């Protein structure tokens, strides 16, 4: 009998290098998520204390989304020129400087260019980190890894408000703490010398062509962005209009976040075993059905809370499964451009979602909240189902 032959050392080292590279990128963006989730409510509270109207606060916040839409098409070229590692480090430094500048600048007018730069730097951080993770992830584990990424980011995002509640929103302390947290996101990247993926080839397609080439993934980002922002903005309001006390209505948001965290890794594992388009279709259909069910359930019941947990948790997978679908389809320069298009469509969702949901609540108070979100998810599920049937018919005709 022969002793078992160990796997080649080079293969083992490659796997370890992949794992380390992925862990570094995930930990960096999770830390940035902490700083971001601290800074966004902090800036809103700062403007509120200065007597700025809610409308102007909303407009100033929206500038960050506009920056993402404008800058995203240029990020692949920036990665090719500077490298992913240098670009991520630069992005974290810019975000930290901007956060401190918000406190130092008394003129509200100057907050608009500051918010644009801040939003642009965040766009770079998310596009590059997601490209990094997608490019390095092994194909048979891509869904799982994107699920881990989303879970880490969600946990990081949950820690920011906790820090803000401890530090308070007055004085320089929360700004300095937020800047230090953002800078801490660069520390893992400093140890990633030689681990970052490079773009050796030019993308042969413009960023907008990916909407035609992979509408299933990109529209998943748009629908998720619209749903996520609408839930964050209106779910507590929806609960209060259904008769819940303020504390219980706020708890709905915590339940939604918990659902999002709970489902990412399991659905990521599933996405590695099945056609991701089927999973996107099924999750959006289930989430849409769950939203419609909310209009029928008593808001004071356990069934209502369970449905919030289930619907928001399942729909949370649209982002990560959509990203994994892109990673399976594109490589090199095309993957970087596709990731940029994905983040851009997510930002479009952030901008259009709350106005549509708010209009729905005004038109059919309060159930318009659930109906608009449920209808959007159902429309997306129908689109994906139609595309799957078309592909099946085309394959049958070719056979």
């Amino acid at each position: 009998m022969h002793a078992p032959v160990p796997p080649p050392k080079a293969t083992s080292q490659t796997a370890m290098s992949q794992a380390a590279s992925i862990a570094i990128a995930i930990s960096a963006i999770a830390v940035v998520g902490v700083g971001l989730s601290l800074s966004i409510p902090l800036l809103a509270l700062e403007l509120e204390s200065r007597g700025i109207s809610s409308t102007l606060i909303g407009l100033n916040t929206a500038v960050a989304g506009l920056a993402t839409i404008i800058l995203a098409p240029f990020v692949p070229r920036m990665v090719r020129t500077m490298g992913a590692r240098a670009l991520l480090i630069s992005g974290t430094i810019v975000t930290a400087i901007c956060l401190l500048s918000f406190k130092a600048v008394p003129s509200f007018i100057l907050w608009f260019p500051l918010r644009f730069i801040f939003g642009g730097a965040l766009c770079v951080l998310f596009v590059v980190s997601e490209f990094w993770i997608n490019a390095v992830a092994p194909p048979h584990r891509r869904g799982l890894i994107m699920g881990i990424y989303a879970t880490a980011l969600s946990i990081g995002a949950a820690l920011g408000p906790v820090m803000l509640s401890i530090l308070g929103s007055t004085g320089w302390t929360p700004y300095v703490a937020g800047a230090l947290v953002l800078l801490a996101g660069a520390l893992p990247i400093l140890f990633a010398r030689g681990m970052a993926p490079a773009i050796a080839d030019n993308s042969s397609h413009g960023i907008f062509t990916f909407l035609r080439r992979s509408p299933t993934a990109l529209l998943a980002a748009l629908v998720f962005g619209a749903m996520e922002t609408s839930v964050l903005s209106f779910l507590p309001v929806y609960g209060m209009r259904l008769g819940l006390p303020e504390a219980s209505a706020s708890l709905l948001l915590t339940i939604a976040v918990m659902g999002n965290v709970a489902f990412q890794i399991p659905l990521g594992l599933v996405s590695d075993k099945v056609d991701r388009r089927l999973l996107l279709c099924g999750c959006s259909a289930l989430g849409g059905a769950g939203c419609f069910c909310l209009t029928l359930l008593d808001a004071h019941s356990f069934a209502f809370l369970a449905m919030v947990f289930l619907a928001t948790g399942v729909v949370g997978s649209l982002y990560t499964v959509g990203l994994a679908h892109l990673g399976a389809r594109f490589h090199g320069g095309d993957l970087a451009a596709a990731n940029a298009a994905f983040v851009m469509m997510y930002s479009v969702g952030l901008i259009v979602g709350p106005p549509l949901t708010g209009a729905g609540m005004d038109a059919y108070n309060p159930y318009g909240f659930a109906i608009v979100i449920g209808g959007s998810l159902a429309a997306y599920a129908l689109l994906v189902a139609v595309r799957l049937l078309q592909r099946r018919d085309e394959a049958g005709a070719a056979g």
Side-chain angles (χ1 to χ4, degrees):
M1 295 179 64
H2 297 284
V5 179
K9 188 175 181 181
T11 302
S12 176
Q13 288 178 341
T14 299
M16 290 177 63
S17 178
Q18 278 184 332
S21 179
I22 292 168
I24 284 170
I26 290 177
S27 60
I29 200 63
V31 173
V32 169
V34 177
L36 176 60
S37 62
L38 180 150
S39 64
I40 289 178
L42 173 62
L43 296 179
L45 292 170
E46 175 75 24
L47 291 177
E48 177 77 17
S49 69
R50 296 186 185 187
I52 303 299
S53 70
S54 297
T55 300
L56 289 176
I57 293 174
L59 286 173
N60 185 256
T61 305
V63 168
L66 180 64
T68 296
I69 294 171
I70 293 174
L71 186 63
F74 301 99
V75 175
R77 185 181 303 172
M78 296 166 68
V79 175
R80 192 177 293 109
T81 302
M82 296 180 58
R85 181 171 173 268
L87 198 53
L88 284 177
I89 293 172
S90 301
T92 56
I93 293 172
V94 171
T95 56
I97 292 173
C98 283
L99 183 57
L100 294 173
S101 299
F102 282 118
K103 183 63 176 176
V105 173
S107 171
F108 176 60
I109 296 298
L110 293 180
W111 273 48
F112 283 90
L114 264 179
R115 185 79 80 159
F116 187 90
I117 297 170
F118 188 66
L122 288 171
C123 166
V124 168
L125 291 177
F126 281 96
V127 171
V128 176
S129 63
E130 288 171 1
F131 160 69
W132 181 324
I133 297 166
N134 235 338
V136 177
H140 64 290
R141 288 287 182 265
R142 183 172 279 115
L144 170 62
I145 288 168
M146 299 313 299
I148 294 172
Y149 156 72
T151 302
L153 185 58
S154 297
I155 293 172
L159 293 177
V162 174
M163 287 185 60
L164 186 60
S165 67
I166 295 171
L167 299 173
S169 60
T170 59
W172 277 91
T173 301
Y175 290 89
V176 173
L180 290 175
V181 170
L182 288 168
L183 288 173
L187 292 179
I189 305 299
L190 290 174
F191 296 99
R193 186 180 298 276
M195 295 184 181
I199 299 178
D201 58 313
N202 290 321
S203 175
S204 57
H205 303 280
I207 193 169
F208 294 102
T209 64
F210 289 97
L211 184 58
R212 176 179 55 81
R213 296 183 66 195
S214 190
T216 298
L218 294 190
L219 289 177
L222 187 147
V223 172
F224 174 76
M227 187 218 70
E228 181 186 48
T229 318
S230 297
V231 167
L232 291 174
S233 301
F234 293 111
L235 183 57
V237 177
Y238 180 58
M240 291 179 68
R241 290 187 183 182
L242 289 174
L244 293 176
E246 183 176 346
S248 298
S250 299
L251 181 62
L252 293 178
L253 205 53
T254 302
I255 292 171
V257 172
M258 290 171 59
N260 192 30
V261 172
F263 278 86
Q264 295 293 343
I265 292 178
L267 289 175
L269 281 167
V270 172
S271 79
D272 287 329
K273 307 296 183 183
V274 303
D275 187 332
R276 292 189 176 98
R277 295 168 299 176
L278 281 174
L279 186 59
L280 288 169
C281 183
C283 286
S284 54
L286 184 58
C291 288
F292 291 129
C293 286
L294 289 178
T295 65
L296 305 174
L297 296 172
D298 180 3
H300 298 82
S301 67
F302 175 78
F304 184 88
L305 300 181
M307 192 58 66
V308 169
F309 179 86
L310 175 64
T312 55
V314 168
V315 173
S317 68
L318 293 183
Y319 192 90
T320 49
V321 176
L323 270 178
H325 183 52
L326 283 184
R329 288 203 60 190
F330 304 110
H331 306 280
D334 275 352
L335 177 57
N339 269 118
F342 192 86
V343 172
M344 186 174 69
M345 293 299 290
Y346 170 77
S347 297
V348 172
L350 297 185
I351 294 172
V352 303
L356 287 175
T357 305
M361 292 184 76
D362 288 340
Y364 185 34
N365 182 39
Y367 301 107
F369 166 81
I371 291 172
V372 169
I373 296 177
S376 300
L377 291 167
Y380 172 72
L382 180 62
L383 181 144
V384 178
V386 169
R387 284 186 57 80
L388 285 169
L389 290 173
Q390 288 175 339
R391 292 295 178 88
R392 189 184 68 178
D393 291 343
E394 290 171 1

